[in-house]
Amino acid sequence: MKRYRTVAVGKKVECRKFITTEPLGKSGETAEQKVWDAARLAFADRDCIAYWRYPIFSKVGEFRKEPDILIADLKLGLTIIEVKSIVIDQIVAINGHKWEFQNFYTTGGNPYQQAENQLFAILGYCDREMALRDRVRGRAIVALPLITQHQWHEKQFNKLPSCPPIIFKDDLESDLGLGTRDWELGTGEVGISSRAKQSLIQIIEQITPVIKGNKLSDEQWKLLQAVISGTPIFRPPPRKFYLGKTRASGEESNSIIHNSPSLSLLVKGEQKTLNPIPRAEVLAKLQNQLLTLDLQQEHIGKEIPPGPQRIRGIAGSGKTVLLCQKAAIMHLKHPDWDIALVFFSRSLYETIIEILDKYLRRFSYGEIGYNQNNAKLRAFHAWGAKNQPGLYSTLCRAAGVWSLSVNDTEFQQPNEALAYVCSHLLKSAKIPQIFDAILIDEGQDLIVNDELKFEGKQPFYWMAYQALRPVNSPMISPEIGGFFSSDLRRLIWAYDEAQSLESLNIPTASELFGDDLGHLVSGEYGNGIKKTEVMHKCYRTPGPILTAAHGIGMGLLRWEGMLTGITRVEDWEAIGYEVMGDNLAMENLEDLTDNSSIIGTNNLSIDKFKNGQKITLYRPSKNSPNLVPELWGSPVLEFQAYHSRIEELTALADNILYNLKVDSLRPSREILVIVLGSSFEAMELETYVANFLMERGIDVYIPSTPECNILKPDKESRDPNRFWCEGGVTVSRIHRAKGNEADMVYVIGFDNVAKDESNLSLRNQLFVALTRAKGWLRLSGIGAYPMYEEMWRVMESGDTFSFTFKRKPKREISVTDTGEILRRYGDGDRNFQGINLAGVELVGVNLQNANLIGANLQDADLRNAKLDGVRLVIANLSEADLSGASLRKAKLVGAILNDVQLNHADLSRADLSDVQLMNGQLVGAILKEANLSGADLSGANLQGANLEAVNFSDVNLTGAIMPDGTIFSGFI
């Protein structure tokens, strides 16, 4: 069995430690880009994280201004760089810290003082951590990318006593970030007596810190990065419990618990073996764990894309938190924008608003919180109620249309009813454009099956898209990404298709908006801002529970074969798994020669699972960093089958009592009971379980009821926003439990899934239930079913699944851009106009006759691809590798193919008129009867190429190597 290994031959290594929170490239930002590029180049090999426009908003006069550049570096500490894109003649005078300007957008400013204030604001957050208090070095610098050191000295500004440390144009001009200057150490004053060559790093090092600080230890450095990211706002308060002399609290009581290696408790006449430590002590220990920085989360949470963005994240990866952070930062950066954060389940209101408030206060230095009366930032559930507007009802009101209620539809499922009313609105009125950004959480819940679509589009998403104002740009530049994208709208949706409880359709762009807009979220916008992010780390659910959820949810170990899931290696890797398989792929693509054939021409991909193939999936612990399994030392996932429901619920009650009395868990938010089953049987089971627990003296809460121990609310007292009740253990059906979580989760009624084990919606219920757990989970059911054995085998597999791939599953899931384009092509879609697939690996792909007009395939790996008849008019294929590719009759009019690899490619009868093919490699290529009129092939290598009957009119072949090895000069 071979381990699959992705080898990016000659590709650029992605560096994500530089975060551009908004795309640079607007008019007037060229100079700022120069400073940012120099900083990225200078700090590329250092242990650091850097931001363009880090979101901390210190108040300066009537305005809020975030720092232009923030760099956190292990050795240098914190550096704030304030960029002023002014020429020397625009500075009228400098008096103290006050600068006076002319012919500028403002008449004055305090650039150094502003940078210093922002530095102190961030250091203030550092000082809240005892390990960092007064230990972090800090520097404030002004960058003048349009002013040379000589011009500054000619004005004699360097002689002013308040002259701040400055980075001049000279320091940024070299590709290596080198300039010529001399610092008088410790003063920040520039001299011109000598012109020593210094790097940007050296210049910063020689600036006297505002705060001297100390050298940081590795642990302090990790904590500093966490502070920068803002994660300490989610640190729970110190946990106190009374269980004798525990190692966590040191407090004493007369509890039955002692620090002994073997403990037991008599419960209902049965002697139970206890763990050496109670669960509450494990939770207390977790609070002391060092916070860590996740670079992908930093990009997602702090970047504002200039158009649509899709966030595909596995359960527990932090999608909801990141959407809240993104919405809060959008509001702080652009307080004039109208922003809606939308979610399906009303039980998430409390959670969403709490997180929004925390982020707003964190990044405004405590001055701004969430205000439900502020119409500029609104948390909406999808539909809307009488006393609580949602996105749909708000748009109805704006359009002057009467909004419909659930009673106005004939649909039983909430997502279907919502789709119906959205379609009705789309048919009844033109949707008013009243939002600048809409962010959608748990996007899979808003999907319906094809028969309920509106003109081939998902109704809710199309309604939301229509409600957005186009991004203020007549055309997105190639650097930002897109082809004549004049109507980009800032719709951002997050989802995990494995958590879909109703429709099994996957919320890709083509599914939401139709094939014509299927390219909207492929590739990048530039500056590292991706159109699609795939999150692979799970922070909430412990590794053993998450892998079991994937294994049982997809049916990986079913004797009949998997039911649903991922069938490509790249897609499995994208969600955090490593893949091994017999004959899965060649181990090292670097060994391939230009003539070698990688795969058969009928295959779509070299790494797609094939029938009869033995596959092993392994999830490394680094992608499931939850530490409960390590601290607990015993299994965190248990499954037990019982003869009757009474036995199952008796065990449930005993275990909850044990959690309350021995583990010292709190009933609300730390213990959760989830019941499984179809709508009616789950409703009955929910009531039965709650009543049973109440009879055993356990206070319970059923979501939407006004208080604990109420089984069914009346219409007037019902509170659909409520999921928890202080003092009560929540008992919930799966639809209400979605989006919520608890430390100890009990899942009841597994038999309701097992009796119909091939039902994907029921399997998804089980997946969602398992992934609600933050610490421990106990699954139970009654009777005996084959799926029980499957579950035990899944649990025994731990972090590694080995199975034989038997057949194509009912539903294939595509995660990456490559997987998505292959799926769409396989479904018959041929329109990929304007798609951005820069740097994507598409080795051996079959995209014959596809429309790729205006596509960005720069640096893409298309070796041995089958591209006959493909339309690549004005596409960008510079630096792409198409060695061995078949491009017969392809249309590449006006395409950019500079530095492309086309060795041994077949371009017979292809239209290459007016292409840019400078320095292209076409060794052994077949160009028989191709049209190259007007093309620029200067410096190209055509050695051994077949040029029979080629149209060479007006071709520039200056410096080109001809088939016979001679070098040509001039035009034909």
PDB file of all heavy atoms in Angstrom, residues 542-552 556-557 577 617-620 624 637 790-802:
ATOM      1  N   PRO A 542     -13.558  16.109  20.492  1.00  0.00           N
ATOM      2  CA  PRO A 542     -12.340  15.294  20.606  1.00  0.00           C
ATOM      3  C   PRO A 542     -12.154  14.379  19.393  1.00  0.00           C
ATOM      4  O   PRO A 542     -13.141  13.907  18.795  1.00  0.00           O
ATOM      5  CB  PRO A 542     -12.596  14.475  21.883  1.00  0.00           C
ATOM      6  CG  PRO A 542     -13.551  15.303  22.680  1.00  0.00           C
ATOM      7  CD  PRO A 542     -14.435  15.971  21.669  1.00  0.00           C
ATOM      8  N   GLY A 543     -10.888  14.133  19.061  1.00  0.00           N
ATOM      9  CA  GLY A 543     -10.563  13.346  17.880  1.00  0.00           C
ATOM     10  C   GLY A 543     -11.301  12.026  17.766  1.00  0.00           C
ATOM     11  O   GLY A 543     -11.866  11.711  16.704  1.00  0.00           O
ATOM     12  N   PRO A 544     -11.335  11.184  18.821  1.00  0.00           N
ATOM     13  CA  PRO A 544     -12.017   9.891  18.704  1.00  0.00           C
ATOM     14  C   PRO A 544     -13.507  10.017  18.377  1.00  0.00           C
ATOM     15  O   PRO A 544     -14.065   9.157  17.686  1.00  0.00           O
ATOM     16  CB  PRO A 544     -11.812   9.265  20.094  1.00  0.00           C
ATOM     17  CG  PRO A 544     -10.584   9.921  20.634  1.00  0.00           C
ATOM     18  CD  PRO A 544     -10.643  11.318  20.124  1.00  0.00           C
ATOM     19  N   ILE A 545     -14.146  11.071  18.866  1.00  0.00           N
ATOM     20  CA  ILE A 545     -15.570  11.264  18.571  1.00  0.00           C
ATOM     21  C   ILE A 545     -15.749  11.780  17.152  1.00  0.00           C
ATOM     22  O   ILE A 545     -16.657  11.358  16.422  1.00  0.00           O
ATOM     23  CB  ILE A 545     -16.218  12.218  19.591  1.00  0.00           C
ATOM     24  CG1 ILE A 545     -16.033  11.684  21.020  1.00  0.00           C
ATOM     25  CG2 ILE A 545     -17.697  12.414  19.284  1.00  0.00           C
ATOM     26  CD1 ILE A 545     -16.573  12.606  22.104  1.00  0.00           C
ATOM     27  N   LEU A 546     -14.881  12.689  16.718  1.00  0.00           N
ATOM     28  CA  LEU A 546     -15.003  13.245  15.367  1.00  0.00           C
ATOM     29  C   LEU A 546     -14.783  12.172  14.307  1.00  0.00           C
ATOM     30  O   LEU A 546     -15.545  12.074  13.338  1.00  0.00           O
ATOM     31  CB  LEU A 546     -14.005  14.391  15.175  1.00  0.00           C
ATOM     32  CG  LEU A 546     -14.040  15.027  13.777  1.00  0.00           C
ATOM     33  CD1 LEU A 546     -15.336  15.803  13.578  1.00  0.00           C
ATOM     34  CD2 LEU A 546     -12.828  15.919  13.552  1.00  0.00           C
ATOM     35  N   THR A 547     -13.727  11.370  14.461  1.00  0.00           N
ATOM     36  CA  THR A 547     -13.473  10.335  13.455  1.00  0.00           C
ATOM     37  C   THR A 547     -14.598   9.312  13.434  1.00  0.00           C
ATOM     38  O   THR A 547     -14.996   8.835  12.361  1.00  0.00           O
ATOM     39  CB  THR A 547     -12.130   9.639  13.712  1.00  0.00           C
ATOM     40  OG1 THR A 547     -12.090   9.154  15.060  1.00  0.00           O
ATOM     41  CG2 THR A 547     -10.969  10.593  13.488  1.00  0.00           C
ATOM     42  N   ALA A 548     -15.141   8.992  14.608  1.00  0.00           N
ATOM     43  CA  ALA A 548     -16.282   8.080  14.644  1.00  0.00           C
ATOM     44  C   ALA A 548     -17.481   8.696  13.939  1.00  0.00           C
ATOM     45  O   ALA A 548     -18.223   7.995  13.227  1.00  0.00           O
ATOM     46  CB  ALA A 548     -16.630   7.738  16.093  1.00  0.00           C
ATOM     47  N   ALA A 549     -17.674  10.007  14.108  1.00  0.00           N
ATOM     48  CA  ALA A 549     -18.788  10.690  13.437  1.00  0.00           C
ATOM     49  C   ALA A 549     -18.631  10.627  11.930  1.00  0.00           C
ATOM     50  O   ALA A 549     -19.607  10.374  11.197  1.00  0.00           O
ATOM     51  CB  ALA A 549     -18.864  12.141  13.919  1.00  0.00           C
ATOM     52  N   HIS A 550     -17.429  10.856  11.428  1.00  0.00           N
ATOM     53  CA  HIS A 550     -17.196  10.746   9.985  1.00  0.00           C
ATOM     54  C   HIS A 550     -17.384   9.309   9.519  1.00  0.00           C
ATOM     55  O   HIS A 550     -18.003   9.053   8.479  1.00  0.00           O
ATOM     56  CB  HIS A 550     -15.787  11.227   9.631  1.00  0.00           C
ATOM     57  CG  HIS A 550     -15.666  12.712   9.541  1.00  0.00           C
ATOM     58  ND1 HIS A 550     -14.616  13.415  10.086  1.00  0.00           N
ATOM     59  CD2 HIS A 550     -16.465  13.646   8.980  1.00  0.00           C
ATOM     60  CE1 HIS A 550     -14.768  14.702   9.852  1.00  0.00           C
ATOM     61  NE2 HIS A 550     -15.886  14.874   9.184  1.00  0.00           N
ATOM     62  N   GLY A 551     -16.838   8.375  10.276  1.00  0.00           N
ATOM     63  CA  GLY A 551     -16.903   6.974   9.871  1.00  0.00           C
ATOM     64  C   GLY A 551     -18.325   6.456   9.787  1.00  0.00           C
ATOM     65  O   GLY A 551     -18.722   5.836   8.800  1.00  0.00           O
ATOM     66  N   ILE A 552     -19.129   6.724  10.828  1.00  0.00           N
ATOM     67  CA  ILE A 552     -20.501   6.220  10.841  1.00  0.00           C
ATOM     68  C   ILE A 552     -21.407   7.072   9.968  1.00  0.00           C
ATOM     69  O   ILE A 552     -22.352   6.579   9.338  1.00  0.00           O
ATOM     70  CB  ILE A 552     -21.052   6.142  12.293  1.00  0.00           C
ATOM     71  CG1 ILE A 552     -22.276   5.228  12.353  1.00  0.00           C
ATOM     72  CG2 ILE A 552     -21.346   7.516  12.855  1.00  0.00           C
ATOM     73  CD1 ILE A 552     -21.968   3.773  12.133  1.00  0.00           C
ATOM     74  N   LEU A 556     -18.411   4.424   6.162  1.00  0.00           N
ATOM     75  CA  LEU A 556     -17.141   3.961   5.589  1.00  0.00           C
ATOM     76  C   LEU A 556     -16.929   2.464   5.807  1.00  0.00           C
ATOM     77  O   LEU A 556     -16.290   1.800   4.980  1.00  0.00           O
ATOM     78  CB  LEU A 556     -15.976   4.748   6.203  1.00  0.00           C
ATOM     79  CG  LEU A 556     -15.943   6.263   5.933  1.00  0.00           C
ATOM     80  CD1 LEU A 556     -14.737   6.888   6.620  1.00  0.00           C
ATOM     81  CD2 LEU A 556     -15.911   6.554   4.435  1.00  0.00           C
ATOM     82  N   LEU A 557     -17.430   1.915   6.916  1.00  0.00           N
ATOM     83  CA  LEU A 557     -17.177   0.520   7.235  1.00  0.00           C
ATOM     84  C   LEU A 557     -18.415  -0.361   7.047  1.00  0.00           C
ATOM     85  O   LEU A 557     -18.484  -1.472   7.581  1.00  0.00           O
ATOM     86  CB  LEU A 557     -16.664   0.404   8.685  1.00  0.00           C
ATOM     87  CG  LEU A 557     -15.369   1.163   8.998  1.00  0.00           C
ATOM     88  CD1 LEU A 557     -14.884   0.843  10.401  1.00  0.00           C
ATOM     89  CD2 LEU A 557     -14.276   0.848   7.978  1.00  0.00           C
ATOM     90  N   TYR A 577      -7.333  14.697   6.810  1.00  0.00           N
ATOM     91  CA  TYR A 577      -6.974  13.278   6.838  1.00  0.00           C
ATOM     92  C   TYR A 577      -5.778  13.008   5.925  1.00  0.00           C
ATOM     93  O   TYR A 577      -5.544  13.740   4.958  1.00  0.00           O
ATOM     94  CB  TYR A 577      -8.150  12.416   6.370  1.00  0.00           C
ATOM     95  CG  TYR A 577      -9.240  12.259   7.397  1.00  0.00           C
ATOM     96  CD1 TYR A 577     -10.216  13.249   7.557  1.00  0.00           C
ATOM     97  CD2 TYR A 577      -9.315  11.137   8.216  1.00  0.00           C
ATOM     98  CE1 TYR A 577     -11.226  13.118   8.499  1.00  0.00           C
ATOM     99  CE2 TYR A 577     -10.326  10.999   9.165  1.00  0.00           C
ATOM    100  CZ  TYR A 577     -11.274  11.993   9.304  1.00  0.00           C
ATOM    101  OH  TYR A 577     -12.260  11.863  10.244  1.00  0.00           O
ATOM    102  N   LEU A 617      -7.640   5.647   5.730  1.00  0.00           N
ATOM    103  CA  LEU A 617      -7.718   7.056   6.113  1.00  0.00           C
ATOM    104  C   LEU A 617      -7.196   7.201   7.533  1.00  0.00           C
ATOM    105  O   LEU A 617      -7.577   6.440   8.426  1.00  0.00           O
ATOM    106  CB  LEU A 617      -9.168   7.549   6.061  1.00  0.00           C
ATOM    107  CG  LEU A 617      -9.916   7.384   4.743  1.00  0.00           C
ATOM    108  CD1 LEU A 617     -11.382   7.756   4.930  1.00  0.00           C
ATOM    109  CD2 LEU A 617      -9.290   8.248   3.660  1.00  0.00           C
ATOM    110  N   TYR A 618      -6.335   8.190   7.732  1.00  0.00           N
ATOM    111  CA  TYR A 618      -5.747   8.423   9.050  1.00  0.00           C
ATOM    112  C   TYR A 618      -5.872   9.896   9.386  1.00  0.00           C
ATOM    113  O   TYR A 618      -5.544  10.764   8.575  1.00  0.00           O
ATOM    114  CB  TYR A 618      -4.283   8.004   9.058  1.00  0.00           C
ATOM    115  CG  TYR A 618      -3.490   8.546  10.229  1.00  0.00           C
ATOM    116  CD1 TYR A 618      -3.743   8.138  11.527  1.00  0.00           C
ATOM    117  CD2 TYR A 618      -2.478   9.489  10.021  1.00  0.00           C
ATOM    118  CE1 TYR A 618      -3.026   8.646  12.597  1.00  0.00           C
ATOM    119  CE2 TYR A 618      -1.750  10.007  11.080  1.00  0.00           C
ATOM    120  CZ  TYR A 618      -2.028   9.583  12.365  1.00  0.00           C
ATOM    121  OH  TYR A 618      -1.317  10.091  13.419  1.00  0.00           O
ATOM    122  N   ARG A 619      -6.373  10.185  10.590  1.00  0.00           N
ATOM    123  CA  ARG A 619      -6.478  11.578  11.036  1.00  0.00           C
ATOM    124  C   ARG A 619      -5.445  11.843  12.120  1.00  0.00           C
ATOM    125  O   ARG A 619      -5.567  11.333  13.246  1.00  0.00           O
ATOM    126  CB  ARG A 619      -7.874  11.886  11.568  1.00  0.00           C
ATOM    127  CG  ARG A 619      -8.052  13.372  11.905  1.00  0.00           C
ATOM    128  CD  ARG A 619      -9.491  13.736  12.212  1.00  0.00           C
ATOM    129  NE  ARG A 619      -9.613  15.177  12.433  1.00  0.00           N
ATOM    130  CZ  ARG A 619      -9.753  16.092  11.490  1.00  0.00           C
ATOM    131  NH1 ARG A 619      -9.805  15.698  10.226  1.00  0.00           N
ATOM    132  NH2 ARG A 619      -9.844  17.372  11.772  1.00  0.00           N
ATOM    133  N   PRO A 620      -4.409  12.628  11.810  1.00  0.00           N
ATOM    134  CA  PRO A 620      -3.383  12.924  12.822  1.00  0.00           C
ATOM    135  C   PRO A 620      -3.941  13.787  13.948  1.00  0.00           C
ATOM    136  O   PRO A 620      -4.853  14.595  13.743  1.00  0.00           O
ATOM    137  CB  PRO A 620      -2.307  13.676  12.022  1.00  0.00           C
ATOM    138  CG  PRO A 620      -2.994  14.199  10.816  1.00  0.00           C
ATOM    139  CD  PRO A 620      -4.118  13.259  10.512  1.00  0.00           C
ATOM    140  N   SER A 624      -6.924  17.489  15.360  1.00  0.00           N
ATOM    141  CA  SER A 624      -7.978  17.406  16.373  1.00  0.00           C
ATOM    142  C   SER A 624      -7.355  17.759  17.724  1.00  0.00           C
ATOM    143  O   SER A 624      -7.109  16.892  18.556  1.00  0.00           O
ATOM    144  CB  SER A 624      -8.593  16.007  16.406  1.00  0.00           C
ATOM    145  OG  SER A 624      -9.176  15.681  15.172  1.00  0.00           O
ATOM    146  N   LEU A 637     -15.667   8.205  24.187  1.00  0.00           N
ATOM    147  CA  LEU A 637     -16.842   7.799  23.421  1.00  0.00           C
ATOM    148  C   LEU A 637     -17.256   6.399  23.854  1.00  0.00           C
ATOM    149  O   LEU A 637     -16.443   5.464  23.832  1.00  0.00           O
ATOM    150  CB  LEU A 637     -16.538   7.814  21.918  1.00  0.00           C
ATOM    151  CG  LEU A 637     -17.630   7.280  20.988  1.00  0.00           C
ATOM    152  CD1 LEU A 637     -18.904   8.115  21.109  1.00  0.00           C
ATOM    153  CD2 LEU A 637     -17.135   7.258  19.543  1.00  0.00           C
ATOM    154  N   GLU A 790     -21.527  -2.105  13.063  1.00  0.00           N
ATOM    155  CA  GLU A 790     -20.762  -1.119  12.299  1.00  0.00           C
ATOM    156  C   GLU A 790     -20.224  -0.028  13.224  1.00  0.00           C
ATOM    157  O   GLU A 790     -19.067   0.390  13.103  1.00  0.00           O
ATOM    158  CB  GLU A 790     -21.645  -0.504  11.211  1.00  0.00           C
ATOM    159  CG  GLU A 790     -20.941   0.540  10.351  1.00  0.00           C
ATOM    160  CD  GLU A 790     -21.890   1.280   9.425  1.00  0.00           C
ATOM    161  OE1 GLU A 790     -23.012   0.806   9.182  1.00  0.00           O
ATOM    162  OE2 GLU A 790     -21.500   2.369   8.953  1.00  0.00           O
ATOM    163  N   MET A 791     -21.055   0.413  14.168  1.00  0.00           N
ATOM    164  CA  MET A 791     -20.627   1.463  15.090  1.00  0.00           C
ATOM    165  C   MET A 791     -19.485   0.983  15.967  1.00  0.00           C
ATOM    166  O   MET A 791     -18.511   1.714  16.192  1.00  0.00           O
ATOM    167  CB  MET A 791     -21.814   1.903  15.960  1.00  0.00           C
ATOM    168  CG  MET A 791     -21.498   3.096  16.875  1.00  0.00           C
ATOM    169  SD  MET A 791     -21.228   4.618  15.942  1.00  0.00           S
ATOM    170  CE  MET A 791     -20.181   5.545  17.067  1.00  0.00           C
ATOM    171  N   TRP A 792     -19.579  -0.261  16.461  1.00  0.00           N
ATOM    172  CA  TRP A 792     -18.489  -0.779  17.298  1.00  0.00           C
ATOM    173  C   TRP A 792     -17.193  -0.878  16.489  1.00  0.00           C
ATOM    174  O   TRP A 792     -16.114  -0.582  16.994  1.00  0.00           O
ATOM    175  CB  TRP A 792     -18.880  -2.139  17.890  1.00  0.00           C
ATOM    176  CG  TRP A 792     -19.744  -2.014  19.106  1.00  0.00           C
ATOM    177  CD1 TRP A 792     -19.522  -1.220  20.187  1.00  0.00           C
ATOM    178  CD2 TRP A 792     -20.977  -2.688  19.361  1.00  0.00           C
ATOM    179  NE1 TRP A 792     -20.531  -1.357  21.113  1.00  0.00           N
ATOM    180  CE2 TRP A 792     -21.446  -2.258  20.647  1.00  0.00           C
ATOM    181  CE3 TRP A 792     -21.743  -3.631  18.663  1.00  0.00           C
ATOM    182  CZ2 TRP A 792     -22.624  -2.726  21.216  1.00  0.00           C
ATOM    183  CZ3 TRP A 792     -22.919  -4.100  19.228  1.00  0.00           C
ATOM    184  CH2 TRP A 792     -23.357  -3.639  20.493  1.00  0.00           C
ATOM    185  N   ARG A 793     -17.306  -1.294  15.227  1.00  0.00           N
ATOM    186  CA  ARG A 793     -16.103  -1.386  14.390  1.00  0.00           C
ATOM    187  C   ARG A 793     -15.518  -0.002  14.126  1.00  0.00           C
ATOM    188  O   ARG A 793     -14.300   0.175  14.089  1.00  0.00           O
ATOM    189  CB  ARG A 793     -16.409  -2.094  13.068  1.00  0.00           C
ATOM    190  CG  ARG A 793     -16.593  -3.605  13.229  1.00  0.00           C
ATOM    191  CD  ARG A 793     -16.658  -4.324  11.895  1.00  0.00           C
ATOM    192  NE  ARG A 793     -17.931  -4.091  11.222  1.00  0.00           N
ATOM    193  CZ  ARG A 793     -18.064  -3.495  10.042  1.00  0.00           C
ATOM    194  NH1 ARG A 793     -16.998  -3.029   9.414  1.00  0.00           N
ATOM    195  NH2 ARG A 793     -19.247  -3.333   9.482  1.00  0.00           N
ATOM    196  N   VAL A 794     -16.382   0.980  13.943  1.00  0.00           N
ATOM    197  CA  VAL A 794     -15.924   2.360  13.761  1.00  0.00           C
ATOM    198  C   VAL A 794     -15.175   2.834  14.998  1.00  0.00           C
ATOM    199  O   VAL A 794     -14.090   3.432  14.903  1.00  0.00           O
ATOM    200  CB  VAL A 794     -17.120   3.283  13.461  1.00  0.00           C
ATOM    201  CG1 VAL A 794     -16.738   4.746  13.651  1.00  0.00           C
ATOM    202  CG2 VAL A 794     -17.617   3.070  12.037  1.00  0.00           C
ATOM    203  N   MET A 795     -15.723   2.570  16.179  1.00  0.00           N
ATOM    204  CA  MET A 795     -15.077   3.003  17.417  1.00  0.00           C
ATOM    205  C   MET A 795     -13.743   2.304  17.625  1.00  0.00           C
ATOM    206  O   MET A 795     -12.766   2.925  18.063  1.00  0.00           O
ATOM    207  CB  MET A 795     -16.002   2.752  18.601  1.00  0.00           C
ATOM    208  CG  MET A 795     -17.247   3.635  18.599  1.00  0.00           C
ATOM    209  SD  MET A 795     -18.497   3.140  19.815  1.00  0.00           S
ATOM    210  CE  MET A 795     -17.584   3.338  21.338  1.00  0.00           C
ATOM    211  N   GLU A 796     -13.670   1.030  17.282  1.00  0.00           N
ATOM    212  CA  GLU A 796     -12.421   0.286  17.429  1.00  0.00           C
ATOM    213  C   GLU A 796     -11.348   0.791  16.464  1.00  0.00           C
ATOM    214  O   GLU A 796     -10.155   0.669  16.733  1.00  0.00           O
ATOM    215  CB  GLU A 796     -12.666  -1.203  17.179  1.00  0.00           C
ATOM    216  CG  GLU A 796     -13.456  -1.894  18.293  1.00  0.00           C
ATOM    217  CD  GLU A 796     -13.856  -3.303  17.919  1.00  0.00           C
ATOM    218  OE1 GLU A 796     -13.551  -3.719  16.766  1.00  0.00           O
ATOM    219  OE2 GLU A 796     -14.481  -3.989  18.747  1.00  0.00           O
ATOM    220  N   SER A 797     -11.756   1.381  15.360  1.00  0.00           N
ATOM    221  CA  SER A 797     -10.796   1.866  14.357  1.00  0.00           C
ATOM    222  C   SER A 797     -10.031   3.087  14.838  1.00  0.00           C
ATOM    223  O   SER A 797      -8.958   3.392  14.315  1.00  0.00           O
ATOM    224  CB  SER A 797     -11.523   2.194  13.044  1.00  0.00           C
ATOM    225  OG  SER A 797     -12.092   1.033  12.485  1.00  0.00           O
ATOM    226  N   GLY A 798     -10.588   3.816  15.796  1.00  0.00           N
ATOM    227  CA  GLY A 798      -9.892   4.980  16.331  1.00  0.00           C
ATOM    228  C   GLY A 798      -9.664   6.044  15.279  1.00  0.00           C
ATOM    229  O   GLY A 798     -10.603   6.516  14.639  1.00  0.00           O
ATOM    230  N   ASP A 799      -8.402   6.413  15.070  1.00  0.00           N
ATOM    231  CA  ASP A 799      -8.085   7.489  14.122  1.00  0.00           C
ATOM    232  C   ASP A 799      -7.748   6.979  12.728  1.00  0.00           C
ATOM    233  O   ASP A 799      -7.306   7.735  11.869  1.00  0.00           O
ATOM    234  CB  ASP A 799      -6.928   8.340  14.653  1.00  0.00           C
ATOM    235  CG  ASP A 799      -5.678   7.521  14.928  1.00  0.00           C
ATOM    236  OD1 ASP A 799      -5.602   6.349  14.493  1.00  0.00           O
ATOM    237  OD2 ASP A 799      -4.766   8.040  15.610  1.00  0.00           O
ATOM    238  N   THR A 800      -7.930   5.667  12.486  1.00  0.00           N
ATOM    239  CA  THR A 800      -7.541   5.076  11.202  1.00  0.00           C
ATOM    240  C   THR A 800      -8.647   4.153  10.689  1.00  0.00           C
ATOM    241  O   THR A 800      -9.054   3.218  11.376  1.00  0.00           O
ATOM    242  CB  THR A 800      -6.237   4.275  11.333  1.00  0.00           C
ATOM    243  OG1 THR A 800      -5.217   5.119  11.869  1.00  0.00           O
ATOM    244  CG2 THR A 800      -5.784   3.751   9.981  1.00  0.00           C
ATOM    245  N   PHE A 801      -9.131   4.428   9.493  1.00  0.00           N
ATOM    246  CA  PHE A 801     -10.142   3.589   8.860  1.00  0.00           C
ATOM    247  C   PHE A 801      -9.530   2.878   7.656  1.00  0.00           C
ATOM    248  O   PHE A 801      -8.933   3.522   6.787  1.00  0.00           O
ATOM    249  CB  PHE A 801     -11.331   4.423   8.376  1.00  0.00           C
ATOM    250  CG  PHE A 801     -12.097   5.087   9.473  1.00  0.00           C
ATOM    251  CD1 PHE A 801     -11.954   6.444   9.717  1.00  0.00           C
ATOM    252  CD2 PHE A 801     -12.954   4.366  10.284  1.00  0.00           C
ATOM    253  CE1 PHE A 801     -12.659   7.069  10.722  1.00  0.00           C
ATOM    254  CE2 PHE A 801     -13.663   4.979  11.302  1.00  0.00           C
ATOM    255  CZ  PHE A 801     -13.514   6.323  11.528  1.00  0.00           C
ATOM    256  N   SER A 802      -9.689   1.575   7.581  1.00  0.00           N
ATOM    257  CA  SER A 802      -9.260   0.797   6.425  1.00  0.00           C
ATOM    258  C   SER A 802     -10.476   0.093   5.848  1.00  0.00           C
ATOM    259  O   SER A 802     -11.228  -0.574   6.577  1.00  0.00           O
ATOM    260  CB  SER A 802      -8.195  -0.224   6.814  1.00  0.00           C
ATOM    261  OG  SER A 802      -7.002   0.428   7.217  1.00  0.00           O
TER     262      SER A 802
END
